[in-house]
Amino acid sequence: MSAEFNEEQKKAITHKDGPAMVLAGPGSGKTLVITYRVKWLIEQAGVHPSNILVITFTRAAAREMEQRFKKLMESEQTPVMFGTFHSVFFMILRYAYRYTGRNIVREEERRNYVKEMIDEKELEIEDEAEFLTGILNEISYVKGEMMDLSLYHSSNCADDLFQEIYNGYEQRLRSRQMLDFDDMLVFCYELLRERPDILKMWQERFRYILVDEFQDINRIQYEIVKMLAGERENLFIVGDDDQSIYRFRGAKPEIMLGFQKDYPAAKQMILRINYRCSQEIVDGARRLISHNTKRFDKDLTAARGSRTPIVYRQFDTVSAECGDIVNGIRFYLKKEIPPEEIAVIFRTNTQPRLLAGRLMEYNIPFQMRDILPNIFEHWIAKNIVTYLKLAMGARDRSLFLQIMNRPKRYISRKMLPDPEVDLKALKQQTFGKRWLYEKIDKLEMDLYLLKKMEPYAAVQYIRNRVGYEEYLAEYASFRRMNPDDLTEILDQIQESAKEYHTVEEWFAYIEEYGEELKKQIEAGRRMDNKGVTLTTMHSAKGLEYEVVFVMDMNEGVTPHKKAVKDADLEEERRLMYVALTRAKTYLFLYSVKEMYQKEAKPSRYIAEIRYSTGSFRAGQRIKHKKYGTGTVVQIDGDKVTLRFDKNPRTKIFSLRFLTEQGMIATIS
């Protein structure tokens, strides 16, 4: 075995028979291990290439793995099969049922099936595109987990409505002899379970199975892989439980954690050496992830050694934060670090709106790994803009229809026969319904008052005095959403209006921003992966950069406010772990004191990254912001005992309290 491999890599590459689990930390060479193991099986262990199956999660990953292997073997022809779960399972179905590509439903058709049912039920869904995506994701989750539909609780709508949509969707697929990507898994599982002869045939074909990114596997994928591995148990899995970040897609990190219970004879290898990051980044990431309880413990080290400390900065506002990030990018560009080696990472794709605008101002080329949504195209923004257009004198029926019952005013469409709306004439149609007359009269007065306001004040008035926030709360209840998710959109819209004194100025900005965003997105496509990268934590996985800025490290952002359960919080920490380990040398962490006119607390992760109980030692002198200078007396687990000079009594603090609350000013 070549000296270019470390000892753990050698053990993994030369493993022959029986189950094995390779825990591959960030930058530890897992792709190298997989490709060289396939080569070793063929050349040294005498395994026929056609008996080897390599499974990964995306077509791009499967293609890259196959290309690396062909280059390694110096041959374009190899009967080793590289594929995704879906491509492999569909191949099995194709042989059994003669399916072709024409039997696979297109994404557009799936959405149309659900939309047809919404239209039939005459449901008023404001965020229809988001609703369709949510429902289809839930359908996928139910199939992937092999769940009893009657026991599933929808997070997008009432359970009985979801069951109707699910059954209607399935009926449409079956009547057209179509199957979706999840059916490929379900049908394959059922086929192999019910036909031992077919299962035996594929077990003979695939005698050695290698699975990449195993931490992202779901229940049904795992059950099929176990069946294919059969009694030989030549199942070689590679992954990192600390990088499992797709629970929302059905990924089950606990499957990897329980692998050795299913396969007690499985050998375990840990790729401990990180060839990507500096020691400072590896140490910070290790301190962070050590706070998760459900994980394999790994003592990782950096091959590159020590470089430069992780930098943490806190700013008063998001605007100041974005200004500093832009200055940092310009600094490294002047140091001739290519823009492709610089990334800004954030939790959700709505965060970089202001940053993108600043980059445009400085003509810094950037590429978005995710679609940067134009917040002004959101239905809530359109409602706000419509109110202001009506306040400025517009009376188009199409505009009025958008907001006339937001909040509920019980105005009927039948009361609006003309292309233009006359509010005085509308009041005359109330026919003694005093309550309806008063609602229309109030709307007329609201529009009159809005006309005199600056944009920021006008949005505030619409939210509170017009009653738009009450409407959002009712809608959130119907959609089983957290109303805070909708008010956050309102916050962002209102924040954008702050700098403008007239509605006309704000509208001009909205139009200009939309046009500039389109140009930038188009330019990003033409640049072919050139420019500074703006990416969510999810989309950053698998990538690496010389310089990384992680923005908005605040409670409620990361960890996200939706993360309440322990499992959710552990996944949020894994997301941050992924973000940190994208950086090779320079890593900057940012938080703000205020977000949308509200106090914002620094993320708990900042403390976890910077400190661990290993940061303290007995006899060490520290300065505490409240109690003054003191001495570390004892460290026990996550508890630190301190004795202060002014008050000789000892005090015991949890590490999280000391660091999260910013209580430690200096450690010397």
Side-chain angles (χ1 to χ4, degrees):
M1 180 61 60
S2 169
E4 64 186 291
F5 304 111
N6 63 50
E7 284 306 310
E8 287 297 306
Q9 288 174 334
K10 287 178 187 176
K11 286 180 189 175
I13 290 167
T14 57
H15 173 80
K16 186 176 184 291
D17 293 322
M21 174 171 64
V22 179
L23 300 173
S28 60
K30 69 180 178 65
T31 303
L32 175 141
V33 164
I34 292 171
T35 50
Y36 270 89
R37 178 174 187 253
V38 175
K39 183 177 189 287
W40 186 87
L41 284 173
I42 295 167
E43 295 180 348
Q44 304 299 321
V47 178
H48 194 278
S50 65
N51 292 142
I52 301 172
L53 169 64
V54 181
I55 308 178
T56 189
F57 277 82
T58 65
R59 279 182 291 182
R63 267 197 309 271
E64 182 190 353
M65 194 91 70
E66 185 171 18
Q67 286 165 1
R68 284 205 199 184
F69 177 69
K70 286 177 178 178
K71 189 175 180 181
L72 188 63
M73 300 296 285
E74 298 179 346
S75 170
E76 280 299 312
Q77 300 299 319
T78 171
V80 174
M81 172 161 279
F82 292 85
T84 64
F85 283 102
H86 289 99
S87 67
V88 172
F89 298 166
F90 186 67
M91 176 191 68
I92 292 172
L93 292 174
R94 198 170 61 227
Y95 276 93
Y97 299 131
R98 300 291 184 264
Y99 281 127
T100 69
R102 288 192 296 271
N103 294 106
I104 302 173
V105 67
R106 297 194 310 275
E107 183 63 23
E108 184 184 354
E109 291 175 298
R110 295 179 74 220
R111 296 180 78 85
N112 284 339
Y113 293 166
V114 178
K115 189 177 185 315
E116 285 170 12
M117 288 179 274
I118 292 171
D119 292 342
E120 286 168 10
K121 293 181 176 298
E122 298 183 353
L123 297 174
E124 286 193 19
I125 308 291
E126 292 287 1
D127 50 341
E128 189 176 89
E130 193 176 318
F131 180 74
L132 294 177
T133 299
I135 290 292
L136 288 169
N137 285 344
E138 288 195 281
I139 290 172
S140 179
Y141 182 80
V142 170
K143 291 185 180 184
E145 286 300 299
M146 302 182 285
M147 294 181 73
D148 181 338
L149 180 60
S150 65
L151 300 178
Y152 180 71
H153 296 292
S154 172
S155 58
N156 278 282
C157 60
D159 293 344
D160 56 347
L161 176 59
F162 176 74
Q163 289 170 18
E164 279 188 64
I165 292 174
Y166 182 98
N167 291 325
Y169 171 81
E170 286 290 276
Q171 189 177 353
R172 281 165 168 78
L173 284 177
R174 301 295 88 82
S175 65
R176 293 165 172 81
Q177 294 185 313
M178 304 292 278
L179 69 162
D180 62 20
F181 279 91
D182 300 294
D183 290 329
M184 293 180 193
L185 311 184
V186 174
F187 292 1
C188 186
Y189 173 77
E190 292 174 348
L191 171 70
L192 297 180
R193 189 181 59 181
E194 294 166 10
R195 291 289 302 273
D197 55 329
I198 293 176
L199 174 60
K200 182 72 174 171
M201 180 186 76
W202 290 108
Q203 286 173 339
E204 289 300 314
R205 165 74 191 277
F206 299 129
R207 297 181 172 214
Y208 289 84
I209 302 172
L210 297 85
V211 184
D212 186 24
E213 303 283 10
F214 190 81
Q215 75 277 355
D216 295 330
I217 202 164
N218 70 17
R219 177 59 55 192
I220 197 166
Q221 289 166 341
Y222 183 49
E223 293 301 329
I224 297 171
V225 166
K226 280 200 296 184
M227 283 195 281
L228 290 174
E231 292 180 0
R232 288 191 183 90
E233 296 189 346
N234 288 330
L235 183 55
F236 184 89
I237 68 166
V238 182
D240 182 5
D241 55 302
D242 289 333
Q243 295 188 73
S244 180
I245 58 173
Y246 296 114
R247 279 178 68 247
F248 66 97
R249 291 185 193 164
K252 295 281 185 184
E254 51 267 35
I255 292 175
M256 188 169 194
L257 292 169
F259 183 75
Q260 287 172 305
K261 289 181 182 176
D262 292 337
Y263 294 96
K267 291 184 179 177
Q268 182 188 101
M269 287 142 287
I270 303 177
L271 305 186
R272 303 175 191 277
I273 302 176
N274 180 316
Y275 293 94
R276 174 195 302 154
C277 310
S278 68
Q279 190 65 53
E280 289 85 352
I281 293 168
V282 169
D283 288 344
R286 176 181 49 76
R287 285 193 290 266
L288 170 80
I289 205 65
S290 68
H291 288 267
N292 274 3
T293 57
K294 295 176 181 175
R295 60 182 293 269
F296 292 108
D297 191 31
K298 311 171 196 72
D299 185 18
L300 304 181
T301 187
R304 298 178 64 215
S306 182
R307 296 300 172 102
T308 184
I310 299 171
V311 176
Y312 166 57
R313 290 176 180 161
Q314 185 181 39
F315 289 90
D316 290 338
T317 64
V318 173
S319 178
E321 173 194 45
C322 290
D324 195 76
I325 291 173
V326 170
N327 287 339
I329 291 169
R330 293 172 71 201
F331 172 80
Y332 285 108
L333 290 175
K334 283 178 184 175
K335 287 187 73 172
E336 298 186 349
I337 289 180
E340 297 76 40
E341 282 290 326
I342 303 173
V344 183
I345 302 180
F346 33 85
R347 175 64 180 83
T348 66
N349 65 350
T350 60
Q351 287 171 249
R353 183 185 63 80
L354 185 59
L355 178 65
R358 293 287 176 85
L359 293 172
M360 292 174 195
E361 286 174 24
Y362 283 94
N363 293 316
I364 297 172
F366 68 89
Q367 53 170 319
M368 287 290 302
R369 290 278 303 171
D370 312 81
I371 294 172
L372 176 57
N374 183 347
I375 194 169
F376 301 114
E377 291 179 357
H378 194 283
W379 60 271
I380 292 177
K382 289 178 178 177
N383 284 175
I384 297 296
V385 166
T386 297
Y387 264 111
L388 294 178
K389 284 181 177 177
L390 292 170
M392 293 167 70
R395 288 294 180 267
D396 305 54
R397 182 178 185 269
S398 59
L399 282 176
F400 191 77
L401 287 172
Q402 290 178 40
I403 58 87
M404 68 180 187
N405 287 315
R406 299 182 179 112
K408 268 279 187 243
R409 298 185 179 92
Y410 304 95
I411 301 171
S412 167
R413 285 172 176 258
K414 294 175 184 177
M415 298 171 71
L416 307 168
D418 302 321
E420 296 271 315
V421 175
D422 183 338
L423 290 174
K424 287 184 171 54
L426 190 61
K427 284 191 283 188
Q428 290 170 4
Q429 295 184 56
T430 56
F431 301 116
K433 295 178 182 175
R434 187 69 190 173
W435 57 270
L436 181 54
Y437 178 93
E438 288 174 355
K439 285 184 180 294
I440 299 170
D441 188 56
K442 181 181 183 303
L443 173 59
E444 188 176 25
M445 179 56 70
D446 286 338
L447 295 176
Y448 173 76
L449 294 173
L450 283 169
K451 185 177 182 179
K452 301 175 180 293
M453 296 180 190
E454 291 191 1
Y456 186 86
V459 177
Q460 187 68 21
Y461 186 89
I462 293 167
R463 294 177 72 154
N464 298 326
R465 301 299 294 276
V466 173
Y468 191 75
E469 280 201 32
E470 290 177 23
Y471 159 71
L472 289 184
E474 289 176 11
Y475 184 73
S477 176
F478 160 67
R479 281 276 279 106
R480 292 195 172 181
M481 300 172 72
N482 184 336
D484 290 347
D485 294 342
L486 300 180
T487 54
E488 187 177 297
I489 300 291
L490 258 180
D491 288 337
Q492 292 181 41
I493 294 162
Q494 187 172 4
E495 181 74 9
S496 75
K498 204 170 190 179
E499 299 175 23
Y500 302 95
H501 297 294
T502 68
V503 170
E504 289 85 357
E505 287 175 359
W506 189 41
F507 282 2
Y509 162 75
I510 290 171
E511 187 174 349
E512 184 183 333
Y513 176 80
E515 290 301 317
E516 195 60 45
L517 190 59
K518 285 177 189 172
K519 284 182 196 172
Q520 200 67 39
I521 291 169
E522 189 55 42
R525 291 194 187 107
R526 290 197 303 270
M527 282 195 300
D528 190 27
N529 294 330
K530 292 181 180 176
V532 174
T533 299
L534 306 187
T535 177
T536 60
M537 294 175 181
H538 282 105
S539 296
K541 190 166 181 292
L543 305 176
E544 57 183 49
Y545 305 92
E546 188 67 20
V547 185
V548 167
F549 302 88
V550 184
M551 66 184 294
D552 296 344
M553 286 188 63
N554 288 89
E555 289 291 314
V557 177
T558 176
H560 198 273
K561 61 189 174 188
K562 289 183 180 178
V564 179
K565 298 176 182 176
D566 289 344
D568 298 327
L569 288 167
E570 294 222 342
E571 175 132 332
E572 289 289 312
R573 192 173 280 107
R574 292 194 293 268
L575 261 176
M576 180 55 64
Y577 180 78
V578 166
L580 301 182
T581 53
R582 299 313 94 198
K584 293 191 274 190
T585 306
Y586 304 102
L587 176 60
F588 295 85
L589 312 178
Y590 286 80
S591 71
V592 295
K593 294 179 182 177
E594 180 188 281
M595 200 172 279
Y596 312 125
Q597 284 74 57
K598 296 171 188 170
E599 182 188 357
K601 292 183 179 179
S603 169
R604 68 193 71 180
Y605 299 151
I606 292 165
E608 295 175 1
I609 292 163
R610 297 172 78 192
Y611 304 117
S612 68
T613 47
S615 306
F616 298 87
R617 62 185 182 278
Q620 182 181 29
R621 298 285 285 168
I622 63 95
K623 188 175 180 182
H624 189 285
K625 287 189 176 178
K626 183 176 179 182
Y627 299 105
T629 305
T631 304
V632 177
V633 177
Q634 184 179 347
I635 303 108
D636 182 15
D638 72 338
K639 299 290 191 297
V640 179
T641 304
L642 303 174
R643 179 181 289 113
F644 296 99
D645 296 350
K646 288 184 179 178
N647 184 349
R649 287 186 306 171
T650 58
K651 289 182 179 290
I652 300 173
F653 299 91
S654 73
L655 173 70
R656 176 168 291 184
F657 178 79
L658 277 173
T659 53
E660 259 183 40
Q661 306 299 321
M663 302 301 282
I664 294 294
T666 57
I667 301 178
S668 58

